[in-house]
Amino acid sequence: MKASIESKLAVGFLLSLLIILAFSVNTFFNMRGLISQNKQQQEARLVIWSVDSIKFQLINAEASGRRYAVSGNKKDRTLYATSMKKAAIYINALAGILFPEGKYAKQNQELQKTFSELAAFGDRIIEVRHSKGTVAAIELVLNGKLAEHGNNILFSLQQIEQLQRDAINHLAENNMAKANNTILSFLFLITVIFIVLSILYFLFRKDMA
């Protein structure tokens, strides 16, 4: 009887240990996945913040450039240059976040291209206002090219922003699935251990009878 009880205890202990080990491994990988996806979500939110910052600087630059084309005020020219410089910094920072391994290479190329075109045209307006006067500068502002370049870069930024919002939604769904998996695994662990202990209890009672 003694050997029988010891063997049953050993079997019960091993089963419980294996179940706990399996649960621990599953939880470990789920937690690693959650941490990795949380980092990706933070990066995606940083990208969206960068995109909003670029838009803000471009709006400031456009407004300052238009004012300078009309008034010739040096303050507006300085504000234009400052806003474009900040926008370029944010775009380079965005590239460092999004494109270090060639990911989103097409979007990066398109963004750099549209920003260069917008910056070149904006600088041309500033130069024309400085060298040829108000009328020539206003003609450039009103010929539709400025709006076209502005719309192109906004479209590029909106594409990048939408990709990140889609990524955040996808990661949130994955996080929820992993969290649910961990909870279900824990409930399964508790249930199985309870069953094992119940079986051992009844077996011990039978041996002791």
Side-chain angles (χ1 to χ4, degrees):
M1 183 185 298
K2 183 178 179 182
S4 176
I5 292 175
E6 288 179 350
S7 63
K8 288 171 184 176
L9 278 172
V11 170
F13 174 78
L14 287 174
L15 283 174
S16 299
L17 183 62
L18 287 173
I19 294 166
I20 293 172
L21 181 62
F23 172 75
S24 300
V25 170
N26 180 66
T27 302
F28 171 75
F29 284 107
N30 279 340
M31 291 303 296
R32 280 192 63 182
L34 287 170
I35 291 169
S36 174
Q37 291 180 4
N38 183 58
K39 182 180 178 182
Q40 292 176 48
Q41 283 184 319
Q42 289 177 346
E43 289 179 350
R45 291 190 180 94
L46 181 58
V47 168
I48 292 172
W49 178 85
S50 298
V51 167
D52 289 340
S53 298
I54 293 167
K55 289 179 182 178
F56 178 77
Q57 295 302 330
L58 290 177
I59 290 170
N60 284 346
E62 180 182 4
S64 301
R66 287 178 181 272
R67 288 197 302 269
Y68 179 74
V70 174
S71 67
N73 190 319
K74 290 184 178 180
K75 182 179 178 181
D76 290 325
R77 182 175 180 176
T78 301
L79 288 172
Y80 165 81
T82 300
S83 295
M84 290 300 288
K85 183 178 180 180
K86 287 181 179 179
I89 291 171
Y90 284 128
I91 286 175
N92 289 332
L94 187 63
I97 301 168
L98 271 181
F99 319 116
E101 299 175 359
K103 193 176 182 182
Y104 303 114
K106 181 180 178 181
Q107 288 79 9
N108 181 36
Q109 184 178 9
E110 187 64 25
L111 178 61
Q112 297 289 347
K113 177 185 175 185
T114 53
F115 179 72
S116 296
E117 291 173 347
L118 177 65
F121 192 79
D123 291 344
R124 183 182 171 196
I125 292 173
I126 298 299
E127 179 58 32
V128 166
R129 175 62 180 82
H130 179 70
S131 61
K132 297 183 179 180
T134 304
V135 175
I138 291 176
E139 285 179 356
L140 274 180
V141 170
L142 297 178
N143 71 2
K145 288 292 183 181
L146 180 62
E148 179 183 341
H149 291 310
N151 289 335
N152 286 341
I153 193 167
L154 285 177
F155 179 74
S156 297
L157 290 169
Q158 286 167 356
Q159 279 188 315
I160 292 172
E161 183 175 4
Q162 189 58 49
L163 284 171
Q164 298 310 303
R165 292 193 184 280
D166 291 343
I168 288 174
N169 291 335
H170 178 68
L171 289 168
E173 291 174 1
N174 285 347
N175 285 347
M176 184 62 68
K178 287 183 181 297
N180 289 336
N181 179 266
T182 301
I183 293 170
L184 290 174
S185 298
F186 177 74
L187 293 175
F188 177 75
L189 169 70
I190 297 299
T191 302
V192 172
I193 289 178
F194 176 77
I195 292 171
V196 169
L197 292 176
S198 298
I199 292 172
L200 288 174
Y201 171 75
F202 286 112
L203 288 175
F204 290 156
R205 284 192 63 182
K206 182 179 178 181
D207 287 340
M208 297 296 292

